[in-house]
Amino acid sequence: MDEAVMALLETFMEIERELGRKVFEDVVERARIAVAAEVMVEAERRAIRNRRTMVTQSHAPGVVIAFPGNPGHA
């Protein structure tokens, strides 16, 4: 991880040096948004996976699971 972070910092430094402060700030902001989006996608994947595991583990014979959108049918 340290090498990847250092490579990213070097890229940012080169962008600032070659293209200026404004471009650098815009790139950093877009990178932060991209990182946040990727983190959210991974968190959603894990939440779905964990939910499926919990439902599978808690499901016992004779248990009825009510699904949303099917009112009155438990």
Side-chain angles (χ1 to χ4, degrees):
M1 180 176 110
D2 292 340
E3 291 151 5
V5 171
M6 291 304 295
L8 182 61
L9 291 175
E10 288 174 11
T11 299
F12 286 158
M13 289 170 46
E14 184 177 346
I15 289 168
E16 184 178 26
R17 190 172 49 250
E18 298 293 326
L19 301 174
R21 184 71 181 179
K22 176 66 174 134
V23 173
F24 164 76
E25 289 173 355
D26 291 345
V27 166
V28 169
E29 183 60 24
R30 286 193 303 271
R32 292 180 67 200
I33 292 168
V35 168
E38 288 300 316
V39 169
M40 192 165 61
V41 167
E42 182 59 28
E44 289 173 350
R45 283 186 188 135
R46 290 183 185 195
I48 290 168
R49 189 174 344 138
N50 289 341
R51 171 115 171 84
R52 287 182 184 156
T53 302
M54 288 172 39
V55 169
T56 302
Q57 290 174 350
S58 66
H59 188 278
V63 174
V64 176
I65 300 174
F67 289 96
N70 197 2
H73 295 83

